[in-house]
Amino acid sequence: EDEQIVAEIMRRRFFPALITHKTWEGFHFAGHEIRITEATDCYGAVVWPSALVLCYFLETNSKQYNLVDKTVIEIGAGTGLVSIVASLLGALVTATDLPELLGNLQHNVLQNTKQKSKHQPCVKELSWGIDLEKNFPRSSCHFDYIMAADVVYYHPFLDELLLTFDHLCKNDTVILWAMKFRLEKENQFVDRFQILFDLELISNFPSLKIALYKAMRKGMMKA
């Protein structure tokens, strides 16, 4: 079953028939052909398999996780694929990442959602753990969903990532998080994450070493 679903997910990706001056990949999600411009000079400017897993989940579980008119923030949006798919499914999306990635992110989001989405997505800078209250004040920012794909990898900012999840998450916020396990640090982060949040494994793809989680604040999952 794992291999069958993974094969279906990977079939959603296609490549240009002709070589072009810009590197791009194509994807079929939410009834649209999505073209993503990539860069090869940084991790955040390519599409990783975890993003495809999360997009596939959003599309195939759109009744249970109805995104129409829901507020969504994606952290570590990278090329923007997850934000684009969430927007095409009707959500009011804020796509966030580091300043150096915002130009490419804005380009991808705009070209794939303009006149196609119910709500035009917003692209905004978010450096984990920095100026959170200033840029996303708790009193006025409410998100129904926080989405993240492959944000946990070998880097020195895992404390800031956890702080960011904590700041953005209200009692009724649902976190949908796709994660590829590479190193022991990933397991350690999951353990620390569960101090603040209840975590439920909703899909698992051993062949990709990717797990998809749903999380909410402690005690709110059953409520």
Side-chain angles (χ1 to χ4, degrees):
E1 184 181 2
D2 167 47
E3 292 179 356
Q4 290 178 350
I5 297 176
V6 167
E8 167 61 23
I9 292 171
M10 294 308 164
R11 278 196 291 269
R12 302 300 187 92
R13 167 186 264 159
F14 67 93
F15 298 93
L18 300 173
I19 297 175
T20 60
H21 69 285
K22 281 190 175 181
T23 303
W24 63 271
E25 286 185 73
F27 303 90
H28 292 289
F29 286 110
H32 291 270
E33 180 181 292
I34 301 167
R35 292 193 178 195
I36 296 293
T37 301
E38 298 185 327
T40 56
D41 56 350
C42 56
Y43 289 121
V46 296
V47 177
W48 298 100
S50 293
L52 274 68
V53 166
L54 183 49
C55 289
Y56 181 81
F57 177 83
L58 295 176
E59 181 189 83
T60 55
N61 292 272
S62 59
K63 290 186 178 178
Q64 183 179 359
Y65 295 88
N66 184 355
L67 297 184
V68 177
D69 298 331
K70 297 294 195 298
T71 53
V72 170
I73 186 168
E74 184 186 4
I75 60 175
T79 60
L81 181 61
V82 172
S83 288
I84 291 163
V85 171
S87 178
L88 293 172
L89 291 170
L92 218 168
V93 176
T94 301
T96 71
D97 215 312
L98 296 170
E100 58 267 29
L101 296 173
L102 296 187
N104 189 57
L105 175 58
Q106 178 72 66
H107 168 76
N108 285 330
V109 167
L110 188 62
Q111 79 163 0
N112 287 290
T113 61
K114 190 175 182 180
Q115 297 181 335
K116 298 176 184 177
S117 297
K118 184 175 182 182
H119 308 284
Q120 187 58 43
C122 167
V123 172
K124 192 169 180 179
E125 176 185 341
L126 174 53
S127 299
W128 299 340
I130 298 175
D131 292 332
L132 293 175
E133 182 59 29
K134 175 184 173 183
N135 296 324
F136 300 89
R138 288 180 186 270
S139 60
S140 58
C141 284
H142 177 276
F143 298 104
D144 297 304
Y145 290 93
I146 300 170
M147 296 187 184
D150 224 7
V151 292
V152 181
Y153 48 87
Y154 186 75
H155 59 61
F157 303 112
L158 295 181
D159 289 342
E160 290 82 356
L161 175 59
L162 189 58
L163 185 66
T164 301
F165 273 123
D166 184 44
H167 180 84
L168 295 173
C169 190
K170 298 285 175 61
N171 285 344
D172 59 346
T173 302
V174 174
I175 299 170
L176 294 175
W177 169 28
M179 176 172 164
K180 184 176 179 72
F181 287 83
R182 300 179 181 88
L183 302 163
E184 182 58 30
K185 274 204 168 188
E186 279 89 354
N187 294 307
Q188 293 172 3
F189 182 83
V190 171
D191 291 340
R192 293 176 56 210
F193 184 87
Q194 289 185 92
I195 296 172
L196 298 176
F197 302 98
D198 288 323
L199 196 63
E200 176 187 344
L201 179 67
I202 51 179
S203 289
N204 190 29
F205 301 97
S207 62
L208 296 175
K209 296 183 179 178
I210 292 174
L212 179 60
Y213 295 107
K214 171 186 175 181
M216 294 185 74
R217 282 206 173 279
K218 279 286 185 185
M220 301 309 299
M221 191 89 81
K222 293 178 181 179

